[in-house]
Amino acid sequence: MAEDAPRRQPTLDEVAERAGVSRSVASRALNNAPHVSRAKREAVERAVRQLGYVPNPTARALATRQTGAAALVVSGEDPSIFADPFFAQVIVGASAALEEADLHLMLCLAASDRGRKRVAELLRSRGADGVMLMALREDDPLARTAEEAQMPVVFGGRPVGSTPRWYVDVDNVGGARAATEHLVSLGRTRVAAICGRLDTEAGRARYRGYRDAMLAAGLEPVPPRGGDFTEAGGAAAMAVLLAEQPDVDGVFAANDNMAAGALRTLREAGRRVPADVAVVGFDDLTVARIADPPLTTVRQPIEALGREMARMLVALVNGQDPSPLILPTRLVVRSSA
């Protein structure tokens, strides 16, 4: 009589499925790691007893290195950047996704040499289970440090001049093209662009979308006028445009903050919007809806950007290999154009 085949040992994935939690939560619960609720810990323990799961010693040693936290790192110079409505929405989305995986969110600002060194040390020392990097500029040393990091790293937006393995971005070129095509469809022929920082991929990509639409329409693109993504920068750039291009009849601003600044400058110069100059922004932040007049803009799914970055990071922490993701944009027509 043949002997019975040896019984297959249950896996951690099966324990997680039986307990109704993610693989990372199950792993942390089994290793008494912090930041696991009592209810989920008890569900995992119950699943272990029901399945007869025996932890792998090597896997246990690796799992105990988990911190129960993920970091969102923004490379910028102004500590108030986290109060910007754009980053606030990113944080909301990322925090919600990480909460589902029982991971806490750490916020880090690489605003100085000291700040960048601290973030680099975080990446090298595995001070978090994973990192999300945003707002990198051209030649930012954090990009190279991230490539060498011994932990999962997800980019929010692609760095200038490189394509990381894992990133979540929005269709910047397509959104800017749609905004410019809308202005051209209104009969505007002297359309200018107020760009964000051109040492960022978002700033460059949105200008490319504007330029492509202008050339496709047989119109001459205006050289980019930088506005650094702030309302004050947009107001200053609009003043320069009026001085250099007094017959401008359409403006695409690469974000809503700059578009709001452009509206202010146009109002102070006695230009009517949209009768004299039509204006389109990018983002669809609250400022677009309360602007005078309400701003036609390109809506990007900002909260979803944060959420998908965090989900991608959780997948990496759980040993998966997710694909990069490009989120769609769409034009929202209001009174400014």
Side-chain angles (χ1 to χ4, degrees), residues 156-272:
R158 286 159 288 184
V160 174
S162 68
T163 301
R165 185 172 178 181
W166 299 294
Y167 66 85
V168 181
D169 206 349
V170 300
D171 185 8
N172 289 301
V173 173
R177 185 188 302 117
T180 309
E181 288 172 346
H182 177 70
L183 289 166
V184 172
S185 74
L186 298 175
R188 309 302 167 122
T189 59
R190 296 174 296 280
V191 179
I194 297 177
C195 299
R197 298 184 62 107
L198 292 177
D199 59 354
T200 66
E201 180 58 27
R204 293 186 182 187
R206 292 176 193 179
Y207 182 74
R208 287 199 302 272
Y210 155 81
R211 182 197 60 203
D212 292 350
M214 291 291 284
L215 292 174
L219 300 173
E220 185 68 26
V222 175
R225 296 291 182 274
D228 71 8
F229 291 124
T230 68
E231 182 176 351
M238 190 71 244
V240 172
L241 277 172
L242 289 177
E244 297 179 352
Q245 307 279 339
D247 59 349
V248 63
D249 61 2
V251 172
F252 164 61
N255 80 341
D256 290 343
N257 291 331
M258 294 190 299
L263 290 177
R264 174 161 56 88
T265 295
L266 289 166
R267 185 165 52 248
E268 292 170 353
R271 301 292 184 94
R272 298 169 300 165

Side-chain angles (χ1 to χ4, degrees), residues 53-215:
Y53 174 75
V54 178
N56 180 291
T58 302
R60 177 182 288 272
L62 290 173
T64 56
R65 298 185 63 187
Q66 293 184 334
T67 67
L72 174 62
V73 177
V74 176
S75 183
E77 299 171 353
D78 185 358
S80 68
I81 194 168
F82 287 122
D84 183 291
F86 175 88
F87 286 103
Q89 289 188 42
V90 170
I91 291 169
V92 168
S95 180
L98 292 175
E99 185 176 352
E100 293 175 0
D102 273 1
L103 288 172
H104 286 264
L105 177 63
M106 301 165 51
L107 300 179
C108 304
L109 180 66
S112 63
D113 287 342
R114 181 179 180 184
R116 282 186 286 272
K117 288 179 181 177
R118 290 178 63 186
V119 172
E121 179 60 27
L122 173 74
L123 289 166
R124 295 190 187 100
S125 65
R126 296 185 62 90
D129 291 341
V131 170
M132 297 167 283
L133 278 180
M134 293 196 71
L136 294 189
R137 298 177 184 172
E138 188 173 17
D139 298 326
D140 194 317
L142 284 180
R144 177 172 296 179
T145 305
E147 292 176 358
E148 300 170 351
Q150 299 299 309
M151 70 166 68
V153 178
V154 172
F155 287 79
R158 286 159 288 184
V160 174
S162 68
T163 301
R165 185 172 178 181
W166 299 294
Y167 66 85
V168 181
D169 206 349
V170 300
D171 185 8
N172 289 301
V173 173
R177 185 188 302 117
T180 309
E181 288 172 346
H182 177 70
L183 289 166
V184 172
S185 74
L186 298 175
R188 309 302 167 122
T189 59
R190 296 174 296 280
V191 179
I194 297 177
C195 299
R197 298 184 62 107
L198 292 177
D199 59 354
T200 66
E201 180 58 27
R204 293 186 182 187
R206 292 176 193 179
Y207 182 74
R208 287 199 302 272
Y210 155 81
R211 182 197 60 203
D212 292 350
M214 291 291 284
L215 292 174

Side-chain angles (χ1 to χ4, degrees), residues 12-72:
L12 180 59
D13 288 323
E14 291 169 335
V15 170
E17 182 178 1
R18 174 69 66 92
V21 300
S22 69
R23 189 179 192 278
S24 61
V25 170
S27 176
R28 292 203 303 278
L30 287 171
N31 291 283
N32 294 317
H35 312 309
V36 179
S37 69
R38 179 178 178 180
K40 291 182 178 179
R41 194 180 299 276
E42 290 176 350
V44 170
E45 292 171 352
R46 187 162 53 251
V48 167
R49 290 194 301 270
Q50 293 171 349
L51 294 172
Y53 174 75
V54 178
N56 180 291
T58 302
R60 177 182 288 272
L62 290 173
T64 56
R65 298 185 63 187
Q66 293 184 334
T67 67
L72 174 62

